[in-house]
Amino acid sequence: MNVSKERLNNFSAGPAVLPLSVLEAVRENLFNYQGTGIGIMEMSHRSAPFEEIIQTAEKDLRELLGMDDSYAVLFTTGGATNQNSMVPMNLLGKGQTADYLVTGYWAERAMKEATKFGTIHVAGTSKDREYSYIPTEIKLSQAPAYVHFTSNNTIYGTQFSAEPEVGRNVLVCDASSDLLCRWIEIEKYGLVYAGAQKNLGTAGVTIVMMKRDLLSRTPANLPVLMDYNTYVKDGSMFNTPPTFSIYVSALVFKWIKQEGGLKVIEERNRKKAAILYQAIDSSEFFRGTAEKSSRSLMNITFRLPSEELEKRFIKEAESAGFSGLKGHRNVGGMRASIYNAFPAEGVTELTQFMKDFERRAG
Ligand code: PMP
């Protein structure tokens, strides 16, 4: 069976493409996990093999990010959306203000959710130009409980090239669509969260990494699963965790390590993105939607001269084996999501298709 011929070039924004070796390991262990006689999805979360899986996942994630024990690693559920609630519920004390950088749809959703729990200050926004850039002007409130930003704006194709400057304030990050795409200095962050379905694995688990000293901020009497302490006290097993999804993440972390770690992955991602941006910039026909200095390595958004041509492009791309290129329903246009596991050859193939389309339709 030729796997590469059987599979499309999958540009889905999430759930997204996984490394082939991860899929093969999943297939192998679905019926009989490492000779235990029990399939990976059928195994108790209290069993010794699963204990090993979750512990190894945490160990490998710590190793990839160079993260010491002053951080806790939590495996939660509810997606990034649930973190939009948990962050203010745990970290925003009575009478305090939290600062939000509003750089896109998901950032806006996080900010709106937080208004339910306290006072919110918008410390920076790029709404004036349809979220096409990362604002450099940031005005923090006097003593924010934390400063929240979204490192990569999945829909608009923009990404912070460096963390916002927040001094000694606690930096909180929704890194759902770019965690593990590059090396970050984790010490700069108070709390980072990410849903797994892009670079980290498959939908189901949501990873939270947080400075342990923030745990004391949680007020009494939060619903048990909304309290970060619950996950820390019980090794993310107060209740049944999403075992299969954690297993896939564990495989993905191993894969990144085997590939050479985050610096190697970052280098690769930069090259892949450059191929596609170069194709866009060298053409009069395609137009990138994000400002150059704010461009994302993960989600590359572009437009064609008319919506009619865009419809035709998507249709013809589908027939040629390029899936998931349609932009988010809120913004239209095109979006090529090229997460870690997306192969460089697929990016080059897309640029060839684009050139060919331009010749025929331009
Ligand atoms: N934040 C970002 C940056 C995202 O890309 C997404 C999903 N695409 C979300 C939040 C929402 O995540 P979830 O569906 O896991 O709640």
Side-chain angles (χ1 to χ4, degrees):
M1 182 173 59
N2 187 332
V3 181
S4 62
K5 283 237 170 69
E6 197 190 345
R7 288 165 58 80
L8 300 176
N9 274 313
N10 176 10
F11 292 94
S12 169
V17 62
L18 285 163
L20 265 187
S21 62
V22 167
L23 293 178
E24 276 157 5
V26 168
R27 180 165 61 186
E28 210 164 282
N29 289 290
L30 213 52
F31 287 92
N32 185 351
Y33 178 74
Q34 294 197 351
T36 55
I38 295 171
I40 183 62
M41 293 192 294
E42 306 161 295
M43 187 172 275
S44 164
H45 59 295
R46 307 279 176 205
S47 65
F50 187 76
E51 283 277 359
E52 195 191 333
I53 289 169
I54 194 167
Q55 280 165 18
T56 308
E58 177 174 338
K59 190 173 132 284
D60 286 343
L61 182 63
R62 285 184 183 279
E63 208 176 303
L64 284 171
L65 289 164
M67 179 168 45
D68 67 23
D69 200 53
S70 63
Y71 287 83
V73 176
L74 288 59
F75 297 91
T76 73
T77 52
T81 304
N82 202 48
Q83 291 311 308
N84 293 169
S85 320
M86 281 180 80
V87 165
M89 283 172 105
N90 284 269
L91 304 186
L92 182 54
K94 265 212 169 70
Q96 286 187 317
T97 297
D99 288 7
Y100 277 73
L101 297 176
V102 183
T103 53
Y105 175 82
W106 300 112
E108 199 175 312
R109 278 226 319 210
M111 181 270 288
K112 281 189 179 146
E113 179 67 5
T115 59
K116 295 178 185 166
F117 304 101
T119 306
I120 300 309
H121 166 74
V122 175
T125 175
S126 49
K127 197 167 186 170
D128 59 338
R129 293 205 301 278
E130 288 172 51
Y131 295 129
S132 60
Y133 68 105
I134 297 295
T136 45
E137 226 177 275
I138 292 169
K139 287 208 174 78
L140 300 183
S141 66
Q142 212 149 52
Y146 59 85
V147 184
H148 181 285
F149 81 112
T150 306
S151 49
N152 184 69
N153 299 283
T154 325
I155 295 176
Y156 294 90
T158 63
Q159 185 176 24
F160 280 81
S161 57
E163 293 81 2
E165 265 314 320
V166 298
R168 288 176 158 273
N169 291 302
V170 172
L171 190 60
V172 173
C173 179
D174 172 0
S176 289
S177 52
D178 71 350
L179 188 61
L180 304 190
C181 90
R182 61 182 173 189
W183 171 255
I184 55 169
E185 280 172 47
I186 193 74
E187 299 77 26
K188 292 185 176 169
Y189 297 80
L191 186 153
V192 183
Y193 63 89
Q197 25 123 346
K198 301 168 200 296
N199 270 337
L200 315 180
T202 192
V205 68
T206 306
I207 289 172
V208 179
M209 299 173 283
M210 65 185 291
K211 274 261 181 219
R212 288 187 197 275
D213 58 15
L214 293 174
L215 287 162
S216 60
R217 287 201 194 179
T218 303
N221 301 324
L222 277 191
V224 68
L225 287 182
M226 300 306 280
D227 182 336
Y228 286 131
N229 293 276
T230 304
Y231 298 84
V232 175
K233 274 189 206 133
D234 278 306
S236 300
M237 294 220 238
F238 176 78
N239 71 330
T240 316
T243 53
F244 179 69
S245 176
I246 290 170
Y247 167 64
V248 178
S249 290
L251 291 174
V252 170
F253 300 158
K254 244 338 156 233
W255 173 76
I256 297 177
K257 273 178 60 179
Q258 279 158 3
E259 295 297 298
L262 289 183
K263 289 193 175 150
V264 171
I265 290 283
E266 172 172 350
E267 186 63 28
R268 228 187 257 173
N269 284 332
R270 289 195 186 281
K271 281 193 184 136
K272 280 193 302 187
I275 294 170
L276 196 40
Y277 283 124
Q278 158 68 20
I280 292 167
D281 291 343
S282 62
S283 134
E284 298 276 304
F285 187 74
F286 298 101
R287 176 176 59 83
T289 63
E291 285 186 13
K292 284 190 183 170
S293 59
S294 305
R295 282 173 160 177
S296 168
L297 296 174
M298 297 283 97
N299 312 97
I300 296 179
T301 49
F302 58 97
R303 309 236 31 168
L304 274 67
S306 71
E307 281 189 24
E308 221 175 310
L309 280 168
E310 289 178 340
K311 274 195 198 124
R312 187 175 146 198
F313 180 87
I314 288 162
K315 201 161 159 235
E316 292 188 18
E318 288 278 350
S319 316
F322 302 99
S323 167
L325 285 169
K326 194 165 190 259
H328 190 271
R329 60 186 184 280
N330 288 3
V331 295
M334 242 53 65
R335 171 175 55 176
S337 298
I338 50 171
Y339 298 115
N340 289 351
F342 192 92
E345 308 84 68
V347 177
T348 305
E349 282 165 27
L350 176 64
T351 60
Q352 284 156 358
F353 174 81
M354 286 163 71
K355 277 202 188 96
D356 185 52
F357 186 86
E358 179 175 355
R359 203 160 14 94
R360 285 184 284 113

